Amino acid sequence: MMKVALIGLGSVGKGVAGVISRKDLGITITGIADSKSGCVDPDGLDIANLLLNKSRNGCCGDRQVTAADVIKKADYDALIEVTPTNALSGEPAIGYIKTALLRKKHVVTSNKGPIALAYKELHTLAQKNGVALRYEATVAGAVPIMHTLEYGLAGNEILALYGVLNGTCNYILTRMADEGLTYEQALMEAREMGYAEADPTYDVQGIDAAIKLVILADALRLADDEGCTIRLIAEAIPRKHILRVSPRILEKNHPLVVDGTLNALTLETDLAKEITLIGKGAGSTETASAIIGDLLFIRDRYARRT
Ligand SMILES: NC(=O)c1ccc[n+]([C@@H]2O[C@H](COP(=O)([O-])OP(=O)(O)OC[C@H]3O[C@@H](n4cnc5c(N)ncnc54)[C@H](OP(=O)(O)O)[C@@H]3O)[C@@H](O)[C@H]2O)c1
């Protein structure tokens, strides 16, 4: 049985806990924490009861037990770190992840902060301690882009990557183009539908600049007249050292013209040529899918230890 500690019990954490308790995956949760409480049981926690407690009282365990306590003391093979993204400091997630790696525990995270800000340091620490650091869920939610790049396309040179990577932004653009909503109306609707995180600042700031640019150019209407539409495209062309995100006019039948909260990535490679992956970029069980995939990968890879 693989033992895991789960830090964060919001949308993603609840999804992970739900999947582990519903499916017979050979995974048990021995430690859990949110921002206010925590609890541990080396024999495995009663997840249904914890989730009920969380929905009734807003906390999952003992208010005297912190997330740091659970990470330092619980008996687990892998830490699942799913706390909010802090794009400026990466904390407290970076500290949580380092503590677990130093204890020679594997780490799986959906948190972009630590990976964007401290990947090299964390990766080196994981290697030194003989454990894995996996982060499939940090990009494009359920879409297995990291695994595809690392294993499915091993041996290929990635010539270019183009992606629709912000589901909230894509939802807004779709609603503006299809229903003629204003940016403000579409943004409000996206918030009401819960597509933005509890603190939507990072999402909205990025969207704001990009979509206002689109609006300024009155580009959606013009694009529509030409049988085209607009998507916010993230682009990486390694050989040219290009990394950029910009609104682009695409033909409506282009593979990257996905609707609503979907994410899409097109990879151009020397051997496989062009591959496009499309799937849910966010969501509780969708993101849990990527985390569970990382955990099962670790279990297979490190079979003798877990
Ligand atoms: N939602 C998605 O679809 C999605 C998709 C891909 C990646 N992600 C990433 O996954 C992470 C989690 O997202 P989410 O949507 O689940 O966020 P969320 O709903 O805001 O939940 C965050 C959880 O972390 C807990 N938390 C906050 N500060 C903490 C701290 N200092 N120590 C321990 N726990 C703390 C919160 O506790 P309380 O419950 O007590 O407030 C809450 O349970 C984020 O980094 C996000 O960017 C999310």
Side-chain angles (χ1 to χ4, degrees):
M1 188 64 80
M2 183 184 206
K3 294 181 175 182
V4 297
L6 176 63
I7 306 300
L9 199 57
S11 174
V12 177
K14 283 180 194 153
V16 171
V19 172
I20 289 176
S21 61
R22 277 198 311 277
K23 289 197 158 206
D24 188 11
L25 298 170
I27 300 173
T28 186
I29 301 179
T30 54
I32 205 161
D34 54 24
S35 68
K36 314 167 201 71
S37 66
C39 56
V40 296
D41 183 339
D43 296 326
L45 292 159
D46 178 347
I47 297 306
N49 202 27
L50 282 172
L51 288 174
L52 195 66
N53 209 17
K54 178 79 183 160
S55 68
R56 281 189 183 152
N57 310 322
C59 66
C60 62
D62 184 342
R63 287 185 185 265
Q64 307 302 317
V65 178
T66 66
D69 295 336
V70 172
I71 298 165
K72 276 184 214 149
K73 294 178 191 156
D75 173 20
Y76 60 94
D77 303 303
L79 177 79
I80 304 172
E81 195 288 316
V82 288
T83 66
T85 297
N86 180 330
L88 296 178
S89 71
E91 296 294 357
I94 291 178
Y96 289 166
I97 292 173
K98 279 187 188 169
T99 305
L101 295 175
L102 286 166
R103 284 192 68 196
K104 301 191 188 305
K105 309 297 182 190
H106 306 290
V107 173
V108 173
T109 185
S110 62
N111 190 336
K112 293 168 275 284
I115 301 303
L117 296 171
Y119 176 72
K120 268 192 188 162
E121 185 189 359
L122 296 175
H123 175 67
T124 306
L125 196 59
Q127 282 193 321
K128 269 190 194 157
N129 287 281
V131 288
L133 168 67
R134 311 258 342 144
Y135 47 93
E136 180 70 75
T138 56
V139 180
V143 181
I145 179 64
M146 298 300 169
H147 213 86
T148 302
L149 285 170
E150 211 175 339
Y151 299 101
L153 294 174
N156 278 262
E157 182 186 355
I158 306 298
L159 304 173
L161 181 156
Y162 303 95
V164 171
L165 295 176
N166 188 305
T168 315
C169 176
N170 207 58
Y171 178 82
I172 289 171
L173 280 170
T174 306
R175 297 294 289 157
M176 287 171 71
D178 292 356
E179 305 295 330
L181 299 186
T182 64
Y183 167 61
E184 282 74 17
Q185 287 168 329
L187 177 60
M188 194 185 299
E189 191 181 86
R191 281 185 176 142
E192 281 167 11
M193 301 285 284
Y195 294 142
E197 286 178 25
D199 176 0
T201 321
Y202 300 130
D203 241 1
V204 171
Q205 279 175 350
I207 296 164
D208 212 55
I211 296 190
K212 280 183 176 155
L213 193 63
V214 170
I215 294 168
L216 273 178
D218 205 5
L220 263 178
R221 188 178 51 77
L222 291 177
D224 195 43
D225 290 346
E226 299 291 322
C228 295
T229 191
I230 293 180
R231 287 294 178 267
L232 186 65
I233 301 293
E235 182 179 4
I237 306 177
R239 277 188 190 175
K240 294 185 182 167
H241 306 288
I242 289 176
L243 283 178
R244 70 179 158 223
V245 180
S246 56
R248 301 279 280 270
I249 296 177
L250 300 173
E251 286 184 13
K252 283 183 180 167
N253 62 359
H254 190 284
L256 290 181
V257 179
V258 289
D259 280 348
T261 55
L262 285 176
N263 280 192
L265 291 115
T266 294
L267 303 166
E268 286 177 13
T269 78
D270 57 341
L271 306 178
K273 307 294 185 294
E274 205 173 286
I275 289 191
T276 298
L277 302 173
I278 297 173
K280 294 278 185 190
S284 182
T285 47
E286 293 85 347
T287 309
S289 162
I291 289 173
I292 297 292
D294 275 346
L295 285 174
L296 297 181
F297 173 83
I298 289 170
R299 187 175 61 190
D300 289 349
R301 180 57 73 90
Y302 295 77
R304 277 167 298 152
R305 298 193 45 203
T306 56

